[in-house]
Amino acid sequence: MARLTPAAPWRPLVLAAAALYFLVPLAASVVFTVDVPGRGVNLDAYTRILDTEGFLPSLLLSLELAAATIAVVLLLMVPATVALRLSAPKLRPVVEIVCAAPLVVPPIAFVAGIGTVLKWGPEHLSRTPLFQTFVAVQNPDFPLVLVLAYAVMALPFAHRALDAGLRAIDVRTLVEAARSCGASLPHALVRAVLPNLRGALLSASFLTLALVLGEFTTAQLLGFRPFAVWIVNISGSQAQMSVAVSVMSLLVTWLLLLLLAGFGRRRTPSPTTDRK
């Protein structure tokens, strides 16, 4: 029998330090939201969240932007990564560099470029049909320009998640087996490949959702007010409320991450059973 390697004694210390690094600020934030001078513990900061002006509209806007961004990212990246795996594996380094570019470009420079284009368009295209397009993408009720910007910013995370999922399966064998059974290529991808990418799709979707809910710079500089901007705007007049909303958002995000991890690890039980 193989001998089990004992755990290094420094590992618990590293885990404890990491736990303190994350939990101490969170605990301090919770204390700040419930501690009212002269009144002791008070949960008004949490009970008044739903009644606060702008909370629901900003949250719904961010969720709508997140759903649209997830759809755009998956529709763009899933066919691209599968085609890259099947037909052009030599182009993989090029695609990796392109998808990693948003991590290199500073967000402020990225937003400045978007703002310049949005200002240039109406000035030079006012007499063309494209003028209405520039107006439509900046609709405050649903700013499509934010969806496009978030989709670009989510490319590095979505690409890594999907690439890891595709590395774990034999895409070519699955497609060829489905094609040999008479399935068309799109049908083979939908019925044979995508079910095996469930964990990767969930990971890409969750990372995109977290990015959209927490992104502040792009929306603020472009003049829109999704959830993250709303939290910062109320921090001056309702500091406890803004911190309470941030704490709740963080806890919900962690809960979604744990559910995603559990759902992604779930496996279909084997049809065979052991017999004595």
Side-chain angles (χ1 to χ4, degrees):
M1 296 178 62
R3 298 180 59 184
L4 296 177
T5 304
W10 50 266
R11 290 183 180 178
L13 298 177
V14 173
L15 292 177
L20 290 175
Y21 180 81
F22 288 103
L23 295 180
V24 169
L26 180 62
S29 299
V30 173
V31 171
F32 173 76
T33 59
V34 300
D35 185 20
V36 179
R39 298 173 57 187
V41 177
N42 194 313
L43 299 178
D44 286 347
Y46 293 93
T47 58
R48 293 187 290 107
I49 289 178
L50 293 178
D51 297 331
T52 305
E53 182 182 359
F55 171 76
L56 286 179
S58 62
L59 179 59
L60 291 177
L61 176 59
S62 290
L63 293 177
E64 291 172 358
L65 293 173
T69 304
I70 290 171
V72 171
V73 170
L74 294 183
L75 289 175
L76 177 65
M77 291 303 301
V78 172
T81 51
V82 173
L84 191 69
R85 193 78 175 176
L86 291 176
S87 305
K90 293 183 179 180
L91 293 178
R92 182 181 168 191
V94 178
V95 175
E96 287 184 350
I97 293 174
V98 173
C99 291
L103 296 177
V104 180
V105 179
I108 189 68
F110 180 58
V111 179
I114 295 176
T116 301
V117 173
L118 294 178
K119 293 178 181 178
W120 173 88
E123 293 177 358
H124 295 80
L125 303 175
S126 58
R127 298 182 180 180
T128 66
L130 291 177
F131 175 77
Q132 295 299 327
T133 302
F134 278 88
V135 175
V137 298
Q138 301 179 71
N139 184 2
D141 295 332
F142 186 77
L144 187 60
V145 64
L146 287 184
V147 175
L148 301 177
Y150 292 158
V152 173
M153 297 170 66
L155 284 181
F157 313 106
H159 176 261
R160 285 298 178 186
L162 294 174
D163 184 66
L166 288 172
R167 282 170 174 262
I169 63 176
D170 192 345
V171 181
R172 189 178 299 277
T173 301
L174 289 174
V175 173
E176 291 178 354
R179 294 296 300 275
S180 65
C181 293
S184 62
L185 181 59
H187 192 262
L189 295 178
V190 172
R191 298 298 299 272
V193 177
L194 290 185
N196 290 280
L197 290 177
R198 180 184 63 182
L201 294 174
L202 288 174
S203 298
S205 301
F206 176 80
L207 291 173
T208 304
L209 173 65
L211 183 146
V212 175
L213 290 180
E215 206 287 324
F216 169 79
T217 304
T218 304
Q220 173 69 15
L221 294 180
L222 293 180
F224 302 108
R225 198 186 185 195
F227 189 56
V229 177
W230 175 82
I231 292 177
V232 175
N233 288 342
I234 68 168
S235 61
S237 59
Q238 303 182 56
Q240 282 188 319
M241 175 69 68
S242 65
V243 176
V245 174
S246 300
V247 170
M248 293 298 296
S249 301
L250 182 60
L251 293 178
V252 170
T253 302
W254 282 359
L255 178 61
L256 290 175
L257 179 60
L258 293 176
L259 292 177
L260 174 64
F263 186 74
R265 291 177 182 175
R266 192 171 61 187
R267 295 290 184 268
T268 303
S270 174
T272 60
T273 57
D274 294 333
R275 295 183 179 180
K276 295 183 179 180

